[in-house]
Amino acid sequence: MDDYGSESDSDYTSYWRDWFISSRGNEYFCEIDEEYLTDRFNLTGLNTEVQYYQYALDLVTDVFDLDCDDEMRETIEKSARHLYGLVHARYIVTTRGLAKMLEKYKKADFGKCPRVMCNSHPLLPMGLSDIPNLKPVKLYCARCEDIYNPKSSRHASIDGAYFGTSFHNILFQVYPALIPPKSTERYVPRVYGFKVHAAAALVRWQNLMREDMRRRLRKMEVESGFKDGEDEDLDEAEDDDGEEDEELQQQIAEYRGANQHHGTSFTGGEPHVGSVA
Amino acid sequence: MSTSSGTPESWISSFCSLLGHEYFAEVSEEFIEDDFNLTGLQNQVAMYKEALEMILDVEPEDDEDDEDEEEEDEEDVSGGDGPGGRAHGERRHHSRVASDLSVIESSAEMLYGLIHQRFICSRAGIQQMSEKYELGHFGVCPRANCNQTRTLPVGLSDIPGEDTVKLFCPSCLDVYVPPNSRFQTVDGAFFGRTFGALFLLTFPEYDLSRTAAETAANLPRSATEQGMINGMYPHNIAPGLGRLKIYEPRIYGFKVSEYARSGPRMQWLRDKPDNMDVLDEARNFADEHGEHGGDSDDDDESMSMNGGRPTARRRPAGNARLRQRQRHNGSPMVVDVNGAESEL
């Protein structure tokens, strides 16, 4: 117990935030500025969220000066970590916070996308909820726009609310130049070189969806972000090339129609597709 | 031939228990001993004969003592493939020289890998891999919406030396890099391109998503019991994709618009029709054109107008065909089931 006391004493004398972000498992966090932490406006509402709020804040800002037993100290320590996480979620969407996280993103501090076709694109931490203690942190890949579980279990236990649901999207709104080019490259399951029917049919359908999206974007004169000319390489693209635009539209409307109908009740299906069931 | 020096563990099982070799199945000796299964491998592997002997734990034919491993015959290392090296081997005390041995060892690993690629597509092999799969030896999908679906080891090429082993997730039909770096030394060709897809076709009954209750809730039984679509059960076609399984970017609770520059562009990759019947292109075509498309000429004509779904081409129209499709969907993949279905 003496050991613990002396250890936390040294923490107290050093900067708590330094210790926090450099300790193992906290690699995803960036350091929050002193000024940001001391501005009460930034902490609005957190006093009801965090136990021993004042002590925790004191600990985070290195002005903690309370003689208490180890148990109490541990509780406050835990509260301080929670408070830091919640402030962190707010801080990283500020200009300075975004810049700090951007540096970490460039260094791939948050890991790399496990998807083979993403070629180790760096990830960003994100939460699926802004309410604490609901969902652990996930990692977002801007290339495939999907979310992944962290590789290591010590990261998988971090609360997702410490990063929030908005941060990674705001980052790319603020730094649009960083949006990676999208790719239509994908894995196609094959058996002895032949495509598998079920998967290939799904791929054809997905390509149809993609072309539909690109058509919508073209109509609105929005950049699609896909590498130019990539579709020509895809053998699936041939399917759509010769087709009449209207027919395609009609097909898509049909598919989407099926989507809407089956959202709530499947049995009531549209007559066209329902004829099978 | 003395068997006294034989190790208690076979070469194959010691190879499979090495760190990083957790994905490998133990190829049965009968499979290796059948020359037919090794067709063409002689040209792909250096020191083929020695490597094969090593894999099968057979003492070399020119029987010598394995204890005397002398540091001679160094030149064998470079030019020592097969008969060329044999000439030196006529010497009385010759045995596998240490450096020679390491060459043979690496050849044996290459040969084993290539045999393994073929073995896991055989009936016995795929069965063994399914046991490993059930035990979760191949890890789980890192994608958050796949709910820890177990993955399968695959290669992106059948030619050795091109890429390392990857993990194929049957839930999102995508491939991922294994999380542990020790698998980054394992050649993908040792698993091959075929295994992942063949596995799904061989075991169509597998409930791919571990949370079976969830699958049952999302998909009405009436539709799934109807039969297969495109050779697979609808609930097993990419269960991790589709609505509610696609990540939707939001800022302060508001969806990021598609028309924003940073808006979603890749949702198609994780999309899937809500009603999988949409994907049954052949049947949809038949339903649409079945009544009036009596003869094949008519069929072909309307086909070209519709962009030509090749699956429906040259099939006589009529109810008999539809009924047949109810059973096995008219899919050529039924052949690939190979009777393994009955074992489940």
Side-chain angles (χ1 to χ4, degrees):
Chain A
M1 282 300 122
D2 276 350
D3 206 11
Y4 181 78
S6 63
E7 192 188 72
S8 39
D9 263 348
S10 63
D11 288 339
Y12 166 55
T13 47
S14 79
Y15 292 108
W16 186 90
R17 280 166 292 141
D18 269 351
W19 163 81
F20 179 77
I21 59 161
S22 59
S23 62
R24 211 170 140 79
N26 290 342
E27 291 85 355
Y28 291 172
F29 291 94
C30 70
E31 192 178 348
I32 306 174
D33 290 329
E34 178 99 47
E35 303 92 80
Y36 191 85
L37 271 169
T38 46
D39 185 342
R40 290 286 159 140
F41 177 74
N42 295 326
L43 310 177
T44 307
L46 293 184
N47 51 347
T48 56
E49 202 66 62
V50 179
Q51 230 189 336
Y52 302 111
Y53 170 76
Q54 194 52 53
Y55 291 135
L57 185 60
D58 287 349
L59 190 59
V60 172
T61 50
D62 302 307
V63 292
F64 184 68
D65 194 14
L66 178 77
D67 248 346
C68 58
D69 56 20
D70 291 332
E71 207 178 303
M72 180 68 178
R73 191 164 169 111
E74 212 169 323
T75 316
I76 293 170
E77 183 75 41
K78 217 177 131 205
S79 288
R81 286 198 292 268
H82 187 50
L83 176 67
Y84 190 88
L86 294 175
V87 180
H88 188 263
R90 298 179 178 191
Y91 176 71
I92 55 176
V93 296
T94 65
T95 313
R96 286 185 60 87
L98 280 172
K100 275 189 187 175
M101 289 300 264
L102 181 63
E103 280 313 301
K104 289 173 78 71
Y105 169 67
K106 283 180 176 166
K107 284 188 284 171
D109 278 358
F110 311 114
K112 290 172 176 169
C113 184
R115 186 169 168 264
V116 173
M117 303 302 165
C118 284
N119 291 318
S120 308
H121 192 82
L123 296 164
L124 281 168
M126 56 92 64
L128 288 171
S129 168
D130 288 311
I131 299 156
N133 302 320
L134 283 184
K135 298 261 175 66
V137 69
K138 302 285 171 196
L139 298 167
Y140 172 80
C141 171
R143 215 174 140 101
C144 58
E145 296 172 7
D146 211 339
I147 48 176
Y148 298 95
N149 297 316
K151 255 198 233 181
S152 120
S153 54
R154 62 172 189 273
H155 291 141
S157 59
I158 299 174
D159 196 330
Y162 296 166
F163 302 91
T165 58
S166 313
F167 153 70
H168 59 287
N169 295 314
I170 293 173
L171 185 86
F172 289 107
Q173 291 218 322
V174 176
Y175 301 101
L178 288 175
I179 300 170
K182 309 290 157 140
S183 166
T184 54
E185 206 186 342
R186 63 175 309 152
Y187 176 73
V188 181
R190 284 170 197 267
V191 170
Y192 301 116
F194 299 101
K195 287 179 201 163
V196 179
H197 187 29
L202 182 61
V203 166
R204 278 194 288 276
W205 184 86
Q206 288 174 336
N207 287 344
L208 215 60
M209 289 297 119
R210 186 184 65 231
E211 290 317 306
D212 184 39
M213 176 196 73
R214 294 184 70 163
R215 202 165 288 115
R216 283 197 306 271
L217 292 176
R218 254 200 305 277
K219 213 176 269 173
M220 298 293 284
E221 294 177 351
V222 182
E223 249 181 84
S224 72
F226 283 95
K227 284 182 223 156
D228 275 332
E230 202 176 45
D231 282 81
E232 271 79 64
D233 306 337
L234 271 172
D235 36 0
E236 263 78 35
E238 294 161 18
D239 282 6
D240 310 326
D241 279 349
E243 256 166 354
E244 292 281 315
D245 209 47
E246 284 158 44
E247 188 163 349
L248 192 70
Q249 290 293 347
Q250 185 203 326
Q251 256 177 308
I252 288 160
E254 205 171 90
Y255 292 171
R256 274 298 158 201
N259 265 0
Q260 280 150 21
H261 273 272
H262 295 285
T264 44
S265 74
F266 196 91
T267 43
E270 227 183 308
H272 180 80
V273 284
S275 60
V276 191
Chain B
M1 258 187 216
S2 65
T3 44
S4 54
S5 62
T7 46
E9 203 182 23
S10 71
W11 185 91
I12 293 174
S13 56
S14 70
F15 175 82
C16 292
S17 57
L18 282 175
L19 195 71
H21 290 186
E22 290 85 347
Y23 295 164
F24 282 98
E26 290 195 23
V27 181
S28 65
E29 284 191 17
E30 301 93 81
F31 188 87
I32 301 175
E33 278 159 1
D34 187 341
D35 277 342
F36 177 75
N37 292 327
L38 309 180
T39 308
L41 294 184
Q42 285 96 321
N43 312 323
Q44 283 195 59
V45 181
M47 306 190 87
Y48 172 78
K49 196 163 173 288
E50 289 82 352
L52 190 60
E53 281 168 353
M54 181 177 266
I55 290 173
L56 292 172
D57 300 303
V58 181
E59 297 289 315
E61 261 171 30
D62 33 23
D63 198 9
E64 324 88 352
D65 300 330
D66 271 297
E67 281 77 27
D68 313 287
E69 280 169 4
E70 289 159 65
E71 291 292 330
E72 52 181 336
D73 277 350
E74 286 290 5
E75 65 270 30
D76 266 3
V77 183
S78 48
D81 47 348
R86 265 302 114 107
H88 297 266
E90 294 306 321
R91 238 174 302 161
R92 188 181 193 69
H93 248 322
H94 169 79
S95 72
R96 286 167 176 171
V97 186
S99 54
D100 214 14
L101 204 67
S102 73
V103 174
I104 297 174
E105 179 74 40
S106 69
S107 279
E109 287 179 15
M110 169 72 80
L111 180 61
Y112 184 79
L114 293 172
I115 297 171
H116 186 265
Q117 182 200 107
R118 299 175 178 194
F119 175 70
I120 56 175
C121 293
S122 74
R123 200 163 155 178
I126 210 160
Q127 193 64 45
Q128 208 186 112
M129 289 299 264
S130 87
E131 281 157 25
K132 284 174 77 72
Y133 180 74
E134 280 188 74
L135 293 168
H137 283 191
F138 310 126
V140 295
C141 181
R143 184 170 168 264
N145 281 325
C146 277
N147 284 326
Q148 318 268 316
T149 302
R150 282 162 292 172
T151 50
L152 292 159
V154 294
L156 298 182
S157 165
D158 288 334
I159 300 149
E162 292 201 341
D163 212 341
T164 57
V165 65
K166 308 289 180 215
L167 295 173
F168 169 66
C169 172
S171 182
C172 55
L173 302 179
D174 214 335
V175 279
Y176 298 97
V177 180
N180 199 311
S181 58
R182 68 169 177 261
F183 296 114
Q184 264 141 46
T185 57
V186 180
D187 199 315
F190 295 172
F191 296 88
R193 293 188 301 166
T194 299
F195 169 67
L198 188 65
F199 186 90
L200 299 186
L201 293 170
T202 310
F203 303 108
E205 319 277 322
Y206 250 121
D207 203 352
L208 291 172
S209 44
R210 274 216 304 211
T211 48
E214 192 195 70
T215 326
N218 283 354
L219 286 151
R221 282 289 118 187
S222 58
T224 51
E225 277 160 12
Q226 278 290 314
M228 294 174 149
I229 288 180
N230 298 340
M232 284 179 79
Y233 287 105
H235 65 269
N236 264 352
I237 303 176
L241 302 184
R243 229 147 37 89
L244 305 175
K245 307 277 181 127
I246 306 172
Y247 172 66
E248 267 185 347
R250 281 165 190 270
I251 294 180
Y252 300 124
F254 299 101
K255 273 188 214 170
V256 180
S257 163
E258 188 177 71
Y259 299 127
R261 191 168 163 201
S262 64
R265 295 283 185 276
M266 296 294 284
Q267 295 195 329
W268 54 273
L269 185 66
R270 306 305 195 197
D271 206 355
K272 181 178 89 167
D274 286 359
N275 181 0
M276 293 305 274
D277 291 336
V278 162
L279 294 185
D280 201 347
E281 293 154 342
R283 177 158 44 188
N284 288 344
F285 182 81
D287 285 352
E288 231 172 281
H289 302 265
E291 265 85 74
H292 53 84
D295 57 62
S296 59
D297 281 347
D298 224 43
D299 250 300
D300 275 351
E301 210 174 283
S302 43
M303 191 69 71
S304 52
M305 275 164 65
N306 205 27
R309 301 288 178 231
T311 34
R313 202 160 276 167
R314 278 183 228 295
R315 269 199 196 127
N319 277 337
R321 170 176 45 123
L322 270 177
R323 233 177 290 123
Q324 185 208 346
R325 190 162 297 144
Q326 298 276 318
R327 243 178 291 122
H328 23 96
N329 207 13
S331 166
M333 291 312 169
V334 176
V335 181
D336 278 338
V337 169
N338 218 7
E341 211 177 351
S342 53
E343 286 173 17
L344 285 173

